[in-house]
Every structure is written in C-alpha cells, then in structure tokens.
Amino acid sequence: MLIQILLSIFILFAIIRLIVKFKKTDAKASGSLWLLFWIITVVAVWVPDFLTQVANLVGIGRGADLVLYVSVVVVFYLIFKIYVRLEKIERNITKVVRKDSLKED
Amino acid sequence: MNIYIIIPVFNEENNIQTTLGDLKQYGYTIIVVDDGSKDKTVEIVESMNVKVLKHKVNRGQGAALQTGTTYAVQKGADIIVHFDGDGQFLAQEIKDLIEPIKFENLDITLGSRFLKENKGMPWLKKYIIHPVSRVINTIFTRIKLTDVHCGFRALSKQAAEKIYITQDGMSHGTEIISQIKKYGLKYREVPVTVIYKEFGQGIKGGFNILKELLLGKFV
C-alpha cells in the first residue's frame, strides 16, 4: 500500500511539473505523450491486474515482463537517437573548425 | 590551368617533407590541410613555403579534404587533386588523373590500385577486406568499381562545387562515389601505384566505416 501512495505522490508531482512546462512551451506533442505515460502508470499502480491483462493480450505472461520488454526497446531507441544527435553535433563542430581555418587566410 | 593538390595531414612529420619535395617539381599549387597535428608537421610544411590550412582540433580525413577542396574552389582552381601526405602515392601519376578531365571533359577520376599490379599489398587486404568492402560499397553507392577508398582522385571545378563531404572520417570515399551517382558526374577509374608503408584500414576500420555510413543515413 505504501508503495502505491509513494508512487502516486511522485506521479502527481511529475504531472504538475508537466502541466507547468506545458503552459510555457510549445512542445504539445511530446507533452501529451508524457501525460499519457503518467496516466497509464497511475492506473497500473492502483490496478496491478491492468498491466497483466494488457500483457496477456499481446501474448506475454506477466505485466512486469511487458514493462521490462517495452523499457528495453525504448532504451535502445533512445541510444540510437543519442548517436544520431552526437553525429549532428560532430558535423557542426567540423563546420565551425572549417570556417575558422578558412578565415585565417 | 590552375591545378590544386589537397593533402590532408595528421602527425605526418616523418613523411611530409619527402611528399612535398616530390610534388614541388611539378609546379602544382599545393595546399596542406593540417588536421590538428601535435607534432612538427605544420612547421615543416611552412618552412617549405607551402600553404597550410589549420584545423584547430582533429576532425578526420574527410573533413580535412572538404576544407581543402572548399578553399581551392574559392581560389579559382580548375582541377582539384586529393593526395595523401604519407608518401603512399606517386606525384608523377597525378598527370594520369588530370588528363582525362582536361582533355576528355570528365568530371572526376578515381585512382584504382587494382587496375595495376601493386606489390606489397597485404593478402588480408587483397583477398578479404577489399572484396568485402567492394560489395558494401556497391550496395551504398550503386556504382561498381574495382577499388574502394583509394584516396587518390581528381575533380573538375564543377564536380568539386557539387560534391560535399559530410563524412568526417574514413567513409568519405564511399560518400564521394554516391554523390557521383547522385549528380550524374562523368567518372573514370585510373590505374595508380600505392606504396604500402603501413597496413592502413583494417577490419576494425572497415566496421567503423560501415557504422559511419549507416549513421549518416539518419542525420
């Protein structure tokens, strides 16, 4: 029970922060995704069977396993995104270095 | 005709003097692009009265080549030759690469180590690394060539204005070839001699190139 209350407080805090940020910026799409994520999380915290039912729907035995699999996929995707971002930064550094070397002339 | 020779260098103090000495006999305009060397490369080049463009930090061979090429185009070069600083290539063969551009209206010529008997090529390269690279190269560029990543090539001014190297590392060789296809440039492979001093790109280097190429598709 205690874990449910603690998690709920944390999620509530996250949602409040999200809404505050929501009002300041234009990132509506990513903000909505996060809101959806937290709503699903709060449902999963209070109705643990919910995740198991979803897991069963896609052929996975336990809700916890579903969370683990989805997390692994998300983490890999994020690593890939970071790689691409890094490559962009590298190319920008090259542009700056090139400009500098040509300016000296 | 303004012929510019672009030489990217990184910590090349042991070879650059000989390379430049050979090149100077031919009267081309030589541009060395120092890619952030930590040794005496820049001092040696400057003492030989050769123009040096300096990258403050190391960015890779592809990046250095693009810097030199951009500079040459700005200075009104008619033909731009990419050449190595480590003495792998022969200055006397530059004319073989520029003549088809000069007289036959080609856009770009690419040196090939396989159209000529090149002694001393390590067998691992000859029979494993190069054949595999050729297949990968063909997949990425849709142009079938006898050689991949031979850094010896010549570009007409028009080709140099169109081709832009974004791959800073060693995969620029493949990138240039895919841009030849993209812009429909007229090209030809020309036999060149390569003197093997070091092993160069090994299997790990090959994987790096593949990684760069794949990642480049998403940037």
Side-chain angles (χ1 to χ4, degrees):
Chain A
M1 276 311 259
L2 185 64
I3 185 75
Q4 285 173 317
I5 294 165
L6 285 176
L7 280 174
S8 301
I9 294 170
F10 174 76
I11 293 166
L12 184 71
F13 177 70
I15 291 176
I16 291 170
R17 282 215 45 163
L18 197 65
I19 292 169
V20 172
K21 217 172 129 190
F22 219 52
K23 284 183 178 162
K24 280 187 193 161
T25 59
D26 288 333
K28 297 266 190 273
S30 69
S32 314
L33 272 179
W34 274 110
L35 196 63
L36 186 70
F37 169 79
W38 290 122
I39 290 169
I40 293 172
T41 312
V42 93
V43 174
V45 166
W46 288 100
V47 193
D49 276 350
F50 166 69
L51 272 183
T52 310
Q53 281 164 14
V54 177
N56 289 338
L57 265 180
V58 290
I60 297 169
R62 295 186 310 169
D65 289 342
L66 174 74
V67 172
L68 186 71
Y69 299 156
V70 171
S71 313
V72 170
V73 171
V74 169
V75 166
F76 270 102
Y77 174 71
L78 288 179
I79 291 175
F80 171 74
K81 289 275 282 185
I82 289 172
Y83 254 105
V84 172
R85 176 70 64 87
L86 267 181
E87 182 64 23
K88 274 187 191 161
I89 294 172
E90 292 275 347
R91 288 185 184 190
N92 284 337
I93 293 174
T94 299
K95 279 185 200 157
V96 175
V97 170
R98 177 169 301 137
K99 214 170 177 181
D100 176 74
S101 72
L102 293 172
K103 207 167 61 187
E104 277 178 17
D105 187 57
Chain B
M1 214 170 212
N2 284 330
I3 294 159
Y4 276 64
I5 314 292
I6 309 300
I7 310 173
V9 291
F10 177 62
N11 293 342
E12 210 62 82
E13 63 181 6
N14 295 326
N15 301 308
I16 193 66
Q17 194 156 10
T18 324
T19 306
L20 293 179
D22 283 347
L23 274 169
K24 277 190 133 184
Q25 307 166 35
Y26 296 89
Y28 305 122
T29 308
I30 305 169
I31 307 296
V32 170
V33 185
D34 175 60
D35 198 21
S37 294
K38 298 267 183 263
D39 62 2
K40 293 201 171 77
T41 306
V42 173
E43 291 165 44
I44 296 169
V45 177
E46 283 176 340
S47 73
M48 295 179 82
N49 289 323
V50 170
K51 170 78 190 162
V52 195
L53 298 170
K54 294 168 206 150
H55 278 184
K56 285 210 171 94
V57 282
N58 183 254
R59 299 309 304 150
Q61 198 186 37
L65 278 173
Q66 185 55 52
T67 300
T69 307
T70 304
Y71 177 82
V73 170
Q74 281 174 3
K75 292 287 166 185
D78 297 306
I79 295 178
I80 293 137
V81 178
H82 292 168
F83 200 78
D84 271 10
D86 58 4
Q88 270 206 87
F89 303 138
L90 301 178
Q92 68 197 55
E93 289 183 349
I94 290 176
K95 67 169 187 342
D96 300 339
L97 284 154
I98 57 182
E99 275 172 4
I101 296 177
K102 241 174 167 175
F103 301 117
E104 297 173 56
N105 223 9
L106 283 175
D107 295 308
I108 183 162
T109 49
L110 308 156
S112 169
R113 297 162 279 188
F114 291 91
L115 293 174
K116 201 171 198 172
E117 182 64 31
N118 267 303
K119 286 182 188 142
M121 185 184 286
W123 73 266
L124 184 66
K125 283 204 141 178
K126 198 168 180 179
Y127 298 108
I128 296 176
I129 297 177
H130 283 303
V132 173
S133 324
R134 268 202 293 272
V135 172
I136 292 172
N137 222 43
T138 312
I139 293 170
F140 271 95
T141 62
R142 287 169 289 138
I143 290 183
K144 209 166 185 297
L145 295 174
T146 62
D147 195 2
V148 280
H149 301 120
C150 173
F152 199 3
R153 59 180 85 81
L155 301 85
S156 68
K157 185 181 177 233
Q158 291 75 15
E161 280 169 343
K162 283 183 186 142
I163 290 175
Y164 190 86
I165 305 169
T166 62
Q167 293 285 1
D168 292 343
M170 297 308 292
S171 54
H172 63 271
T174 307
E175 191 185 22
I176 288 174
I177 297 164
S178 37
Q179 293 195 27
I180 290 176
K181 176 87 178 169
K182 185 178 166 191
Y183 296 115
L185 301 173
K186 284 179 281 176
Y187 69 96
R188 179 185 298 162
E189 284 189 287
V190 176
V192 294
T193 310
V194 173
I195 301 153
Y196 282 89
K197 293 189 170 177
E198 288 163 16
F199 192 81
Q201 294 289 309
I203 293 175
K204 192 170 163 249
F207 274 110
N208 261 335
I209 289 176
L210 192 58
K211 191 191 92 190
E212 284 172 17
L213 288 172
L214 286 172
L215 208 54
K217 297 263 172 215
F218 295 96
V219 177

